[in-house]
Amino acid sequence: FIDTLAAAVVYPGFGFKVKGRRNLKSVKGGAITVSNHIHGMDGPFVAVSLYPSRITFTSIEGNFRLPLVRWPVKWVGAVPIPASTHLLKDFFALTVEQLKKGRKVHFYPEGSLLKNAEIIRPFKKGAFHMAADAGVPVIPVTLVRRPATGIYRLFRRKSLYTAVILPAVYPDPQLSGAKQIEDMKDRAHTSMSAALA
């Protein structure tokens, strides 16, 4: 129901398009999905672009208290990332367990929303750490703005949006520990930056 509702909003309301769906077909089982964080509707954008895969979204705890942000966050059924170090350790372990069971979990590795950012900002390593520990790939999704065209020019001055699903980034078996995590993070960042450019 939520996916259908999200699609009914983002396709006509934001001129939403999805490219690269074929890159999802090769990924079986658990995975971490990541995207840039440029709009309050990023969650619905990603949910629609990755359909029919069911995604568990994550968001920092503070977003659940912000008036304009908390509704889209709750709408997609997001799970809060704890601020407490002790609880974060449990969250990390539980997420790795879910990934091993075949779940897909979404993170915003930039860490915070920056409206209509024109670059892919530096990534935090947590999501890639979990992917490496669980032995699952990371599926990068780049959200790209484009100018209003066609009929949209008649009633919309703001940008339209496209989600570009990129080839999955797998842990390199020749690397281990911090190097494997850094390698996955760098490869995802490079491919997303290229898609945005």
Side-chain angles (χ1 to χ4, degrees), residues 58-67 69-70 73-74 78-85 87-88 91 111:
T58 61
S59 181
I60 58 173
E61 282 185 329
N63 284 343
F64 288 80
R65 297 187 293 271
L66 294 175
V69 177
R70 65 185 179 191
V73 168
K74 291 180 179 180
V79 175
I81 300 173
S84 160
T85 304
L87 293 176
L88 190 60
F91 171 82

Side-chain angles (χ1 to χ4, degrees), residues 65-119:
R65 297 187 293 271
L66 294 175
L68 297 178
V69 177
R70 65 185 179 191
W71 300 116
V73 168
K74 291 180 179 180
W75 187 21
V76 296
V79 175
I81 300 173
S84 160
T85 304
H86 174 69
L87 293 176
L88 190 60
K89 184 178 179 181
D90 292 339
F91 171 82
F92 189 105
L94 180 61
T95 302
V96 169
E97 181 183 333
Q98 293 298 309
L99 291 168
K100 289 180 177 178
K101 290 180 178 179
R103 297 295 298 270
K104 290 181 173 63
V105 184
H106 187 77
F107 287 88
Y108 298 104
E110 293 171 318
S112 60
L113 170 66
L114 181 58
K115 185 88 176 199
N116 294 329
E118 296 183 355
I119 61 168

Side-chain angles (χ1 to χ4, degrees), residues 2 24 32 37 45 60 65 69-71 82 127 139 166 177 191:
I2 293 296
L24 291 175
I32 279 182
H37 203 2
F45 288 161
I60 58 173
R65 297 187 293 271
V69 177
R70 65 185 179 191
W71 300 116
I139 303 172
L166 299 162
S191 66

Side-chain angles (χ1 to χ4, degrees), residues 6-165:
V9 171
V10 302
Y11 280 119
F14 295 88
F16 191 62
K17 293 182 180 180
V18 182
K19 295 182 178 181
R21 283 191 190 274
R22 65 188 179 279
N23 290 319
L24 291 175
K25 295 180 180 179
S26 63
V27 179
K28 308 299 181 186
I32 279 182
T33 62
V34 297
S35 72
N36 48 333
H37 203 2
I38 61 170
H39 196 281
M41 291 291 285
D42 285 348
F45 288 161
V46 172
V48 169
S49 65
L50 298 179
Y51 182 84
S53 295
R54 295 191 66 183
I55 310 297
T56 299
F57 285 85
T58 61
S59 181
I60 58 173
E61 282 185 329
N63 284 343
F64 288 80
R65 297 187 293 271
L66 294 175
L68 297 178
V69 177
R70 65 185 179 191
W71 300 116
V73 168
K74 291 180 179 180
W75 187 21
V76 296
V79 175
I81 300 173
S84 160
T85 304
H86 174 69
L87 293 176
L88 190 60
K89 184 178 179 181
D90 292 339
F91 171 82
F92 189 105
L94 180 61
T95 302
V96 169
E97 181 183 333
Q98 293 298 309
L99 291 168
K100 289 180 177 178
K101 290 180 178 179
R103 297 295 298 270
K104 290 181 173 63
V105 184
H106 187 77
F107 287 88
Y108 298 104
E110 293 171 318
S112 60
L113 170 66
L114 181 58
K115 185 88 176 199
N116 294 329
E118 296 183 355
I119 61 168
I120 303 295
R121 291 167 285 151
F123 286 169
K124 300 181 185 301
K125 66 180 182 180
F128 305 93
H129 198 321
M130 293 181 211
D133 278 12
V136 300
V138 171
I139 303 172
V141 180
T142 303
L143 300 175
V144 181
R145 290 189 303 139
R146 64 183 203 278
T149 56
I151 195 171
Y152 284 98
R153 288 186 300 178
L154 300 177
F155 62 89
R156 185 177 175 86
R157 294 182 179 179
K158 296 181 179 179
S159 301
L160 306 179
Y161 291 85
T162 300
V164 183
I165 304 169

